[in-house]
PDB file of all heavy atoms in Angstrom:
ATOM      1  N   GLY A  14      12.048 -29.817   2.714  1.00 89.00           N
ATOM      2  CA  GLY A  14      11.616 -31.011   1.989  1.00 89.00           C
ATOM      3  C   GLY A  14      12.730 -32.042   1.862  1.00 89.00           C
ATOM      4  O   GLY A  14      12.494 -33.248   2.008  1.00 89.00           O
ATOM      5  N   ASN A  15      13.949 -31.578   1.600  1.00 88.00           N
ATOM      6  CA  ASN A  15      15.081 -32.505   1.499  1.00 88.00           C
ATOM      7  C   ASN A  15      15.359 -33.188   2.833  1.00 88.00           C
ATOM      8  O   ASN A  15      15.645 -34.395   2.876  1.00 88.00           O
ATOM      9  CB  ASN A  15      16.334 -31.775   1.016  1.00 88.00           C
ATOM     10  CG  ASN A  15      16.304 -31.461  -0.457  1.00 88.00           C
ATOM     11  OD1 ASN A  15      15.398 -31.868  -1.177  1.00 88.00           O
ATOM     12  ND2 ASN A  15      17.292 -30.719  -0.916  1.00 88.00           N
ATOM     13  N   LEU A  16      15.286 -32.431   3.917  1.00 90.00           N
ATOM     14  CA  LEU A  16      15.496 -33.027   5.239  1.00 90.00           C
ATOM     15  C   LEU A  16      14.400 -34.043   5.557  1.00 90.00           C
ATOM     16  O   LEU A  16      14.674 -35.124   6.102  1.00 90.00           O
ATOM     17  CB  LEU A  16      15.543 -31.937   6.314  1.00 90.00           C
ATOM     18  CG  LEU A  16      16.765 -31.026   6.287  1.00 90.00           C
ATOM     19  CD1 LEU A  16      16.561 -29.832   7.218  1.00 90.00           C
ATOM     20  CD2 LEU A  16      18.023 -31.798   6.647  1.00 90.00           C
ATOM     21  N   GLN A  17      13.162 -33.705   5.208  1.00 91.00           N
ATOM     22  CA  GLN A  17      12.042 -34.628   5.440  1.00 91.00           C
ATOM     23  C   GLN A  17      12.231 -35.911   4.624  1.00 91.00           C
ATOM     24  O   GLN A  17      12.021 -37.000   5.129  1.00 91.00           O
ATOM     25  CB  GLN A  17      10.719 -33.948   5.088  1.00 91.00           C
ATOM     26  CG  GLN A  17       9.511 -34.706   5.542  1.00 91.00           C
ATOM     27  CD  GLN A  17       9.433 -34.817   7.057  1.00 91.00           C
ATOM     28  OE1 GLN A  17       9.636 -33.844   7.784  1.00 91.00           O
ATOM     29  NE2 GLN A  17       9.152 -36.010   7.544  1.00 91.00           N
ATOM     30  N   GLU A  18      12.647 -35.769   3.380  1.00 88.00           N
ATOM     31  CA  GLU A  18      12.903 -36.923   2.521  1.00 88.00           C
ATOM     32  C   GLU A  18      14.017 -37.792   3.093  1.00 88.00           C
ATOM     33  O   GLU A  18      13.925 -39.021   3.097  1.00 88.00           O
ATOM     34  CB  GLU A  18      13.284 -36.449   1.112  1.00 88.00           C
ATOM     35  CG  GLU A  18      13.701 -37.543   0.173  1.00 88.00           C
ATOM     36  CD  GLU A  18      12.550 -38.108  -0.631  1.00 88.00           C
ATOM     37  OE1 GLU A  18      11.458 -37.521  -0.612  1.00 88.00           O
ATOM     38  OE2 GLU A  18      12.759 -39.144  -1.268  1.00 88.00           O
ATOM     39  N   LEU A  19      15.038 -37.164   3.609  1.00 86.00           N
ATOM     40  CA  LEU A  19      16.138 -37.899   4.222  1.00 86.00           C
ATOM     41  C   LEU A  19      15.658 -38.673   5.442  1.00 86.00           C
ATOM     42  O   LEU A  19      16.037 -39.828   5.642  1.00 86.00           O
ATOM     43  CB  LEU A  19      17.261 -36.927   4.596  1.00 86.00           C
ATOM     44  CG  LEU A  19      18.569 -37.497   5.105  1.00 86.00           C
ATOM     45  CD1 LEU A  19      19.151 -38.511   4.125  1.00 86.00           C
ATOM     46  CD2 LEU A  19      19.573 -36.381   5.354  1.00 86.00           C
ATOM     47  N   LEU A  20      14.786 -38.051   6.222  1.00 86.00           N
ATOM     48  CA  LEU A  20      14.210 -38.748   7.389  1.00 86.00           C
ATOM     49  C   LEU A  20      13.344 -39.931   6.976  1.00 86.00           C
ATOM     50  O   LEU A  20      13.409 -41.000   7.583  1.00 86.00           O
ATOM     51  CB  LEU A  20      13.364 -37.780   8.218  1.00 86.00           C
ATOM     52  CG  LEU A  20      14.064 -37.026   9.321  1.00 86.00           C
ATOM     53  CD1 LEU A  20      13.143 -35.957   9.884  1.00 86.00           C
ATOM     54  CD2 LEU A  20      14.538 -37.955  10.414  1.00 86.00           C
ATOM     55  N   GLU A  21      12.519 -39.731   5.961  1.00 85.00           N
ATOM     56  CA  GLU A  21      11.564 -40.771   5.561  1.00 85.00           C
ATOM     57  C   GLU A  21      12.194 -41.872   4.724  1.00 85.00           C
ATOM     58  O   GLU A  21      11.901 -43.049   4.930  1.00 85.00           O
ATOM     59  CB  GLU A  21      10.406 -40.126   4.800  1.00 85.00           C
ATOM     60  CG  GLU A  21       9.543 -39.240   5.676  1.00 85.00           C
ATOM     61  CD  GLU A  21       8.529 -38.430   4.892  1.00 85.00           C
ATOM     62  OE1 GLU A  21       8.431 -38.592   3.652  1.00 85.00           O
ATOM     63  OE2 GLU A  21       7.838 -37.610   5.519  1.00 85.00           O
ATOM     64  N   ALA A  22      13.037 -41.504   3.774  1.00 78.00           N
ATOM     65  CA  ALA A  22      13.575 -42.490   2.840  1.00 78.00           C
ATOM     66  C   ALA A  22      15.008 -42.898   3.164  1.00 78.00           C
ATOM     67  O   ALA A  22      15.510 -43.857   2.594  1.00 78.00           O
ATOM     68  CB  ALA A  22      13.506 -41.945   1.410  1.00 78.00           C
ATOM     69  N   GLY A  23      15.655 -42.139   4.036  1.00 73.00           N
ATOM     70  CA  GLY A  23      17.027 -42.469   4.386  1.00 73.00           C
ATOM     71  C   GLY A  23      18.051 -41.934   3.407  1.00 73.00           C
ATOM     72  O   GLY A  23      19.236 -42.214   3.537  1.00 73.00           O
ATOM     73  N   GLU A  24      17.601 -41.190   2.392  1.00 72.00           N
ATOM     74  CA  GLU A  24      18.538 -40.589   1.446  1.00 72.00           C
ATOM     75  C   GLU A  24      17.971 -39.282   0.919  1.00 72.00           C
ATOM     76  O   GLU A  24      16.762 -39.077   0.897  1.00 72.00           O
ATOM     77  CB  GLU A  24      18.836 -41.537   0.289  1.00 72.00           C
ATOM     78  CG  GLU A  24      17.615 -41.922  -0.530  1.00 72.00           C
ATOM     79  CD  GLU A  24      17.928 -42.966  -1.597  1.00 72.00           C
ATOM     80  OE1 GLU A  24      18.984 -43.599  -1.536  1.00 72.00           O
ATOM     81  OE2 GLU A  24      17.102 -43.135  -2.490  1.00 72.00           O
ATOM     82  N   SER A  25      18.890 -38.418   0.520  1.00 72.00           N
ATOM     83  CA  SER A  25      18.481 -37.129  -0.039  1.00 72.00           C
ATOM     84  C   SER A  25      18.051 -37.324  -1.482  1.00 72.00           C
ATOM     85  O   SER A  25      18.596 -38.168  -2.188  1.00 72.00           O
ATOM     86  CB  SER A  25      19.646 -36.141  -0.026  1.00 72.00           C
ATOM     87  OG  SER A  25      19.937 -35.758   1.285  1.00 72.00           O
ATOM     88  N   PRO A  26      17.109 -36.521  -1.940  1.00 68.00           N
ATOM     89  CA  PRO A  26      16.722 -36.599  -3.340  1.00 68.00           C
ATOM     90  C   PRO A  26      17.885 -36.144  -4.227  1.00 68.00           C
ATOM     91  O   PRO A  26      18.779 -35.425  -3.789  1.00 68.00           O
ATOM     92  CB  PRO A  26      15.536 -35.645  -3.456  1.00 68.00           C
ATOM     93  CG  PRO A  26      15.541 -34.831  -2.228  1.00 68.00           C
ATOM     94  CD  PRO A  26      16.350 -35.533  -1.199  1.00 68.00           C
ATOM     95  N   ILE A  27      17.853 -36.570  -5.469  1.00 67.00           N
ATOM     96  CA  ILE A  27      18.866 -36.125  -6.419  1.00 67.00           C
ATOM     97  C   ILE A  27      18.752 -34.617  -6.542  1.00 67.00           C
ATOM     98  O   ILE A  27      17.654 -34.063  -6.586  1.00 67.00           O
ATOM     99  CB  ILE A  27      18.669 -36.808  -7.788  1.00 67.00           C
ATOM    100  CG1 ILE A  27      18.899 -38.306  -7.631  1.00 67.00           C
ATOM    101  CG2 ILE A  27      19.586 -36.204  -8.826  1.00 67.00           C
ATOM    102  CD1 ILE A  27      18.617 -39.113  -8.878  1.00 67.00           C
ATOM    103  N   HIS A  28      19.888 -33.972  -6.588  1.00 64.00           N
ATOM    104  CA  HIS A  28      19.862 -32.514  -6.597  1.00 64.00           C
ATOM    105  C   HIS A  28      20.372 -31.963  -7.914  1.00 64.00           C
ATOM    106  O   HIS A  28      21.150 -32.586  -8.607  1.00 64.00           O
ATOM    107  CB  HIS A  28      20.708 -31.965  -5.453  1.00 64.00           C
ATOM    108  CG  HIS A  28      22.116 -32.470  -5.461  1.00 64.00           C
ATOM    109  ND1 HIS A  28      22.477 -33.630  -4.843  1.00 64.00           N
ATOM    110  CD2 HIS A  28      23.240 -31.985  -6.036  1.00 64.00           C
ATOM    111  CE1 HIS A  28      23.771 -33.841  -5.023  1.00 64.00           C
ATOM    112  NE2 HIS A  28      24.267 -32.864  -5.742  1.00 64.00           N
ATOM    113  N   GLU A  29      19.856 -30.789  -8.203  1.00 61.00           N
ATOM    114  CA  GLU A  29      20.300 -30.047  -9.377  1.00 61.00           C
ATOM    115  C   GLU A  29      20.544 -28.620  -8.918  1.00 61.00           C
ATOM    116  O   GLU A  29      19.875 -28.136  -8.009  1.00 61.00           O
ATOM    117  CB  GLU A  29      19.227 -30.059 -10.466  1.00 61.00           C
ATOM    118  CG  GLU A  29      18.979 -31.424 -11.048  1.00 61.00           C
ATOM    119  CD  GLU A  29      17.926 -31.381 -12.159  1.00 61.00           C
ATOM    120  OE1 GLU A  29      17.687 -30.293 -12.694  1.00 61.00           O
ATOM    121  OE2 GLU A  29      17.368 -32.430 -12.456  1.00 61.00           O
ATOM    122  N   PRO A  30      21.483 -27.947  -9.557  1.00 59.00           N
ATOM    123  CA  PRO A  30      21.719 -26.547  -9.173  1.00 59.00           C
ATOM    124  C   PRO A  30      20.456 -25.709  -9.396  1.00 59.00           C
ATOM    125  O   PRO A  30      19.678 -25.974 -10.300  1.00 59.00           O
ATOM    126  CB  PRO A  30      22.839 -26.097 -10.113  1.00 59.00           C
ATOM    127  CG  PRO A  30      23.468 -27.360 -10.607  1.00 59.00           C
ATOM    128  CD  PRO A  30      22.387 -28.409 -10.578  1.00 59.00           C
ATOM    129  N   ALA A  31      20.291 -24.712  -8.530  1.00 62.00           N
ATOM    130  CA  ALA A  31      19.144 -23.814  -8.664  1.00 62.00           C
ATOM    131  C   ALA A  31      19.268 -23.020  -9.956  1.00 62.00           C
ATOM    132  O   ALA A  31      20.360 -22.797 -10.465  1.00 62.00           O
ATOM    133  CB  ALA A  31      19.090 -22.869  -7.472  1.00 62.00           C
ATOM    134  N   PHE A  32      18.139 -22.600 -10.471  1.00 72.00           N
ATOM    135  CA  PHE A  32      18.111 -21.817 -11.703  1.00 72.00           C
ATOM    136  C   PHE A  32      18.422 -20.366 -11.383  1.00 72.00           C
ATOM    137  O   PHE A  32      17.626 -19.675 -10.752  1.00 72.00           O
ATOM    138  CB  PHE A  32      16.745 -21.941 -12.383  1.00 72.00           C
ATOM    139  CG  PHE A  32      16.649 -21.132 -13.642  1.00 72.00           C
ATOM    140  CD1 PHE A  32      17.298 -21.548 -14.795  1.00 72.00           C
ATOM    141  CD2 PHE A  32      15.940 -19.950 -13.673  1.00 72.00           C
ATOM    142  CE1 PHE A  32      17.224 -20.804 -15.957  1.00 72.00           C
ATOM    143  CE2 PHE A  32      15.856 -19.192 -14.827  1.00 72.00           C
ATOM    144  CZ  PHE A  32      16.505 -19.627 -15.975  1.00 72.00           C
ATOM    145  N   ASP A  33      19.579 -19.901 -11.780  1.00 79.00           N
ATOM    146  CA  ASP A  33      20.000 -18.514 -11.681  1.00 79.00           C
ATOM    147  C   ASP A  33      19.696 -17.868 -10.324  1.00 79.00           C
ATOM    148  O   ASP A  33      19.037 -16.824 -10.261  1.00 79.00           O
ATOM    149  CB  ASP A  33      19.345 -17.714 -12.808  1.00 79.00           C
ATOM    150  CG  ASP A  33      20.055 -16.397 -13.056  1.00 79.00           C
ATOM    151  OD1 ASP A  33      21.260 -16.294 -12.746  1.00 79.00           O
ATOM    152  OD2 ASP A  33      19.396 -15.470 -13.565  1.00 79.00           O
ATOM    153  N   PRO A  34      20.186 -18.455  -9.208  1.00 86.00           N
ATOM    154  CA  PRO A  34      19.912 -17.849  -7.897  1.00 86.00           C
ATOM    155  C   PRO A  34      20.763 -16.597  -7.691  1.00 86.00           C
ATOM    156  O   PRO A  34      21.850 -16.464  -8.253  1.00 86.00           O
ATOM    157  CB  PRO A  34      20.342 -18.941  -6.922  1.00 86.00           C
ATOM    158  CG  PRO A  34      21.426 -19.668  -7.644  1.00 86.00           C
ATOM    159  CD  PRO A  34      21.013 -19.647  -9.096  1.00 86.00           C
ATOM    160  N   ASP A  35      20.253 -15.682  -6.907  1.00 92.00           N
ATOM    161  CA  ASP A  35      21.024 -14.505  -6.515  1.00 92.00           C
ATOM    162  C   ASP A  35      21.727 -14.855  -5.200  1.00 92.00           C
ATOM    163  O   ASP A  35      21.065 -15.011  -4.170  1.00 92.00           O
ATOM    164  CB  ASP A  35      20.106 -13.303  -6.326  1.00 92.00           C
ATOM    165  CG  ASP A  35      20.861 -12.041  -5.948  1.00 92.00           C
ATOM    166  OD1 ASP A  35      22.079 -12.114  -5.656  1.00 92.00           O
ATOM    167  OD2 ASP A  35      20.232 -10.972  -5.955  1.00 92.00           O
ATOM    168  N   PRO A  36      23.047 -15.018  -5.213  1.00 92.00           N
ATOM    169  CA  PRO A  36      23.765 -15.409  -3.999  1.00 92.00           C
ATOM    170  C   PRO A  36      23.517 -14.491  -2.809  1.00 92.00           C
ATOM    171  O   PRO A  36      23.633 -14.925  -1.666  1.00 92.00           O
ATOM    172  CB  PRO A  36      25.243 -15.367  -4.422  1.00 92.00           C
ATOM    173  CG  PRO A  36      25.220 -15.535  -5.892  1.00 92.00           C
ATOM    174  CD  PRO A  36      23.950 -14.873  -6.365  1.00 92.00           C
ATOM    175  N   ASP A  37      23.157 -13.244  -3.066  1.00 94.00           N
ATOM    176  CA  ASP A  37      22.877 -12.318  -1.967  1.00 94.00           C
ATOM    177  C   ASP A  37      21.608 -12.681  -1.200  1.00 94.00           C
ATOM    178  O   ASP A  37      21.380 -12.172  -0.100  1.00 94.00           O
ATOM    179  CB  ASP A  37      22.759 -10.881  -2.483  1.00 94.00           C
ATOM    180  CG  ASP A  37      24.092 -10.338  -2.979  1.00 94.00           C
ATOM    181  OD1 ASP A  37      25.156 -10.857  -2.560  1.00 94.00           O
ATOM    182  OD2 ASP A  37      24.072  -9.400  -3.799  1.00 94.00           O
ATOM    183  N   ASP A  38      20.785 -13.550  -1.777  1.00 95.00           N
ATOM    184  CA  ASP A  38      19.538 -13.960  -1.130  1.00 95.00           C
ATOM    185  C   ASP A  38      19.716 -15.180  -0.233  1.00 95.00           C
ATOM    186  O   ASP A  38      18.742 -15.664   0.357  1.00 95.00           O
ATOM    187  CB  ASP A  38      18.474 -14.289  -2.182  1.00 95.00           C
ATOM    188  CG  ASP A  38      18.011 -13.070  -2.954  1.00 95.00           C
ATOM    189  OD1 ASP A  38      18.239 -11.936  -2.477  1.00 95.00           O
ATOM    190  OD2 ASP A  38      17.428 -13.249  -4.035  1.00 95.00           O
ATOM    191  N   TYR A  39      20.949 -15.693  -0.137  1.00 95.00           N
ATOM    192  CA  TYR A  39      21.209 -16.927   0.608  1.00 95.00           C
ATOM    193  C   TYR A  39      22.366 -16.716   1.571  1.00 95.00           C
ATOM    194  O   TYR A  39      23.256 -15.911   1.320  1.00 95.00           O
ATOM    195  CB  TYR A  39      21.539 -18.073  -0.358  1.00 95.00           C
ATOM    196  CG  TYR A  39      20.386 -18.418  -1.263  1.00 95.00           C
ATOM    197  CD1 TYR A  39      20.136 -17.680  -2.419  1.00 95.00           C
ATOM    198  CD2 TYR A  39      19.523 -19.456  -0.954  1.00 95.00           C
ATOM    199  CE1 TYR A  39      19.071 -17.970  -3.247  1.00 95.00           C
ATOM    200  CE2 TYR A  39      18.444 -19.754  -1.770  1.00 95.00           C
ATOM    201  CZ  TYR A  39      18.228 -19.005  -2.909  1.00 95.00           C
ATOM    202  OH  TYR A  39      17.158 -19.292  -3.713  1.00 95.00           O
ATOM    203  N   VAL A  40      22.325 -17.442   2.668  1.00 96.00           N
ATOM    204  CA  VAL A  40      23.420 -17.417   3.639  1.00 96.00           C
ATOM    205  C   VAL A  40      23.943 -18.828   3.804  1.00 96.00           C
ATOM    206  O   VAL A  40      23.234 -19.809   3.518  1.00 96.00           O
ATOM    207  CB  VAL A  40      22.961 -16.865   5.009  1.00 96.00           C
ATOM    208  CG1 VAL A  40      22.578 -15.393   4.899  1.00 96.00           C
ATOM    209  CG2 VAL A  40      21.832 -17.677   5.613  1.00 96.00           C
ATOM    210  N   SER A  41      25.164 -18.954   4.270  1.00 95.00           N
ATOM    211  CA  SER A  41      25.697 -20.290   4.519  1.00 95.00           C
ATOM    212  C   SER A  41      24.951 -20.923   5.691  1.00 95.00           C
ATOM    213  O   SER A  41      24.388 -20.218   6.540  1.00 95.00           O
ATOM    214  CB  SER A  41      27.198 -20.213   4.829  1.00 95.00           C
ATOM    215  OG  SER A  41      27.409 -19.639   6.109  1.00 95.00           O
ATOM    216  N   TRP A  42      24.968 -22.236   5.737  1.00 93.00           N
ATOM    217  CA  TRP A  42      24.305 -22.938   6.843  1.00 93.00           C
ATOM    218  C   TRP A  42      24.990 -22.561   8.153  1.00 93.00           C
ATOM    219  O   TRP A  42      24.332 -22.404   9.179  1.00 93.00           O
ATOM    220  CB  TRP A  42      24.327 -24.441   6.601  1.00 93.00           C
ATOM    221  CG  TRP A  42      23.593 -25.209   7.645  1.00 93.00           C
ATOM    222  CD1 TRP A  42      24.122 -26.130   8.505  1.00 93.00           C
ATOM    223  CD2 TRP A  42      22.191 -25.156   7.965  1.00 93.00           C
ATOM    224  NE1 TRP A  42      23.145 -26.629   9.336  1.00 93.00           N
ATOM    225  CE2 TRP A  42      21.955 -26.044   9.018  1.00 93.00           C
ATOM    226  CE3 TRP A  42      21.126 -24.420   7.456  1.00 93.00           C
ATOM    227  CZ2 TRP A  42      20.693 -26.239   9.576  1.00 93.00           C
ATOM    228  CZ3 TRP A  42      19.858 -24.603   8.020  1.00 93.00           C
ATOM    229  CH2 TRP A  42      19.663 -25.501   9.063  1.00 93.00           C
ATOM    230  N   ASP A  43      26.308 -22.398   8.142  1.00 93.00           N
ATOM    231  CA  ASP A  43      27.025 -22.003   9.360  1.00 93.00           C
ATOM    232  C   ASP A  43      26.549 -20.635   9.848  1.00 93.00           C
ATOM    233  O   ASP A  43      26.342 -20.424  11.041  1.00 93.00           O
ATOM    234  CB  ASP A  43      28.537 -21.963   9.123  1.00 93.00           C
ATOM    235  CG  ASP A  43      29.144 -23.347   8.996  1.00 93.00           C
ATOM    236  OD1 ASP A  43      28.513 -24.326   9.448  1.00 93.00           O
ATOM    237  OD2 ASP A  43      30.258 -23.449   8.444  1.00 93.00           O
ATOM    238  N   TYR A  44      26.384 -19.694   8.919  1.00 94.00           N
ATOM    239  CA  TYR A  44      25.880 -18.380   9.292  1.00 94.00           C
ATOM    240  C   TYR A  44      24.465 -18.504   9.874  1.00 94.00           C
ATOM    241  O   TYR A  44      24.155 -17.915  10.913  1.00 94.00           O
ATOM    242  CB  TYR A  44      25.860 -17.423   8.093  1.00 94.00           C
ATOM    243  CG  TYR A  44      25.225 -16.099   8.438  1.00 94.00           C
ATOM    244  CD1 TYR A  44      25.989 -15.061   8.942  1.00 94.00           C
ATOM    245  CD2 TYR A  44      23.842 -15.902   8.300  1.00 94.00           C
ATOM    246  CE1 TYR A  44      25.407 -13.841   9.284  1.00 94.00           C
ATOM    247  CE2 TYR A  44      23.256 -14.700   8.647  1.00 94.00           C
ATOM    248  CZ  TYR A  44      24.037 -13.677   9.134  1.00 94.00           C
ATOM    249  OH  TYR A  44      23.448 -12.488   9.490  1.00 94.00           O
ATOM    250  N   ALA A  45      23.619 -19.264   9.192  1.00 94.00           N
ATOM    251  CA  ALA A  45      22.233 -19.423   9.646  1.00 94.00           C
ATOM    252  C   ALA A  45      22.181 -20.015  11.044  1.00 94.00           C
ATOM    253  O   ALA A  45      21.434 -19.541  11.901  1.00 94.00           O
ATOM    254  CB  ALA A  45      21.453 -20.292   8.658  1.00 94.00           C
ATOM    255  N   ARG A  46      22.977 -21.049  11.292  1.00 91.00           N
ATOM    256  CA  ARG A  46      22.998 -21.670  12.625  1.00 91.00           C
ATOM    257  C   ARG A  46      23.542 -20.715  13.668  1.00 91.00           C
ATOM    258  O   ARG A  46      23.041 -20.650  14.787  1.00 91.00           O
ATOM    259  CB  ARG A  46      23.823 -22.963  12.598  1.00 91.00           C
ATOM    260  CG  ARG A  46      23.238 -24.091  11.775  1.00 91.00           C
ATOM    261  CD  ARG A  46      21.866 -24.548  12.264  1.00 91.00           C
ATOM    262  NE  ARG A  46      21.847 -24.956  13.631  1.00 91.00           N
ATOM    263  CZ  ARG A  46      21.959 -26.197  14.068  1.00 91.00           C
ATOM    264  NH1 ARG A  46      22.114 -27.184  13.221  1.00 91.00           N
ATOM    265  NH2 ARG A  46      21.922 -26.463  15.348  1.00 91.00           N
ATOM    266  N   GLY A  47      24.566 -19.938  13.304  1.00 91.00           N
ATOM    267  CA  GLY A  47      25.100 -18.946  14.233  1.00 91.00           C
ATOM    268  C   GLY A  47      24.070 -17.876  14.560  1.00 91.00           C
ATOM    269  O   GLY A  47      23.932 -17.455  15.713  1.00 91.00           O
ATOM    270  N   PHE A  48      23.347 -17.425  13.553  1.00 90.00           N
ATOM    271  CA  PHE A  48      22.283 -16.444  13.759  1.00 90.00           C
ATOM    272  C   PHE A  48      21.244 -17.008  14.725  1.00 90.00           C
ATOM    273  O   PHE A  48      20.825 -16.342  15.668  1.00 90.00           O
ATOM    274  CB  PHE A  48      21.625 -16.093  12.425  1.00 90.00           C
ATOM    275  CG  PHE A  48      20.518 -15.085  12.547  1.00 90.00           C
ATOM    276  CD1 PHE A  48      20.786 -13.728  12.457  1.00 90.00           C
ATOM    277  CD2 PHE A  48      19.203 -15.500  12.757  1.00 90.00           C
ATOM    278  CE1 PHE A  48      19.759 -12.795  12.572  1.00 90.00           C
ATOM    279  CE2 PHE A  48      18.181 -14.575  12.883  1.00 90.00           C
ATOM    280  CZ  PHE A  48      18.461 -13.220  12.792  1.00 90.00           C
ATOM    281  N   LEU A  49      20.847 -18.252  14.488  1.00 90.00           N
ATOM    282  CA  LEU A  49      19.842 -18.884  15.330  1.00 90.00           C
ATOM    283  C   LEU A  49      20.349 -19.063  16.757  1.00 90.00           C
ATOM    284  O   LEU A  49      19.617 -18.799  17.711  1.00 90.00           O
ATOM    285  CB  LEU A  49      19.439 -20.237  14.731  1.00 90.00           C
ATOM    286  CG  LEU A  49      18.271 -20.948  15.374  1.00 90.00           C
ATOM    287  CD1 LEU A  49      17.025 -20.080  15.386  1.00 90.00           C
ATOM    288  CD2 LEU A  49      17.995 -22.252  14.633  1.00 90.00           C
ATOM    289  N   ASP A  50      21.603 -19.473  16.908  1.00 85.00           N
ATOM    290  CA  ASP A  50      22.175 -19.616  18.251  1.00 85.00           C
ATOM    291  C   ASP A  50      22.157 -18.287  18.997  1.00 85.00           C
ATOM    292  O   ASP A  50      21.806 -18.228  20.171  1.00 85.00           O
ATOM    293  CB  ASP A  50      23.604 -20.154  18.182  1.00 85.00           C
ATOM    294  CG  ASP A  50      23.662 -21.623  17.805  1.00 85.00           C
ATOM    295  OD1 ASP A  50      22.625 -22.311  17.891  1.00 85.00           O
ATOM    296  OD2 ASP A  50      24.760 -22.086  17.419  1.00 85.00           O
ATOM    297  N   GLY A  51      22.543 -17.218  18.290  1.00 81.00           N
ATOM    298  CA  GLY A  51      22.527 -15.903  18.913  1.00 81.00           C
ATOM    299  C   GLY A  51      21.120 -15.462  19.274  1.00 81.00           C
ATOM    300  O   GLY A  51      20.877 -14.929  20.356  1.00 81.00           O
ATOM    301  N   TYR A  52      20.188 -15.708  18.377  1.00 81.00           N
ATOM    302  CA  TYR A  52      18.792 -15.337  18.613  1.00 81.00           C
ATOM    303  C   TYR A  52      18.229 -16.069  19.828  1.00 81.00           C
ATOM    304  O   TYR A  52      17.564 -15.475  20.669  1.00 81.00           O
ATOM    305  CB  TYR A  52      17.962 -15.651  17.371  1.00 81.00           C
ATOM    306  CG  TYR A  52      16.500 -15.336  17.528  1.00 81.00           C
ATOM    307  CD1 TYR A  52      16.040 -14.040  17.346  1.00 81.00           C
ATOM    308  CD2 TYR A  52      15.585 -16.331  17.859  1.00 81.00           C
ATOM    309  CE1 TYR A  52      14.694 -13.740  17.497  1.00 81.00           C
ATOM    310  CE2 TYR A  52      14.244 -16.036  18.007  1.00 81.00           C
ATOM    311  CZ  TYR A  52      13.802 -14.748  17.833  1.00 81.00           C
ATOM    312  OH  TYR A  52      12.479 -14.464  17.993  1.00 81.00           O
ATOM    313  N   GLU A  53      18.531 -17.362  19.911  1.00 80.00           N
ATOM    314  CA  GLU A  53      17.978 -18.173  20.997  1.00 80.00           C
ATOM    315  C   GLU A  53      18.675 -17.935  22.327  1.00 80.00           C
ATOM    316  O   GLU A  53      18.138 -18.279  23.369  1.00 80.00           O
ATOM    317  CB  GLU A  53      18.031 -19.652  20.622  1.00 80.00           C
ATOM    318  CG  GLU A  53      17.063 -20.001  19.518  1.00 80.00           C
ATOM    319  CD  GLU A  53      17.153 -21.440  19.055  1.00 80.00           C
ATOM    320  OE1 GLU A  53      18.173 -22.112  19.327  1.00 80.00           O
ATOM    321  OE2 GLU A  53      16.193 -21.896  18.412  1.00 80.00           O
TER     322      GLU A  53
END
């Protein structure tokens, strides 16, 4: 949604920290892109 908003409006929406996220449920964007590169 943020990427779509950036495409449509030219700016990212105002952001707020997530409510009590578990860091183990998230990966860095670099890791995600590396995973995708390896997969592809």
Side-chain angles (χ1 to χ4, degrees):
N15 285 354
L16 291 169
Q17 191 64 45
E18 174 91 11
L19 187 55
L20 270 171
E21 292 171 4
E24 61 185 15
S25 290
I27 295 175
H28 55 272
E29 294 182 19
F32 179 74
D33 198 25
D35 181 351
D37 292 338
D38 292 342
Y39 296 82
V40 294
S41 71
W42 184 243
D43 287 340
Y44 175 89
R46 293 299 303 264
F48 180 90
L49 188 56
D50 287 344
Y52 178 82
E53 290 176 342

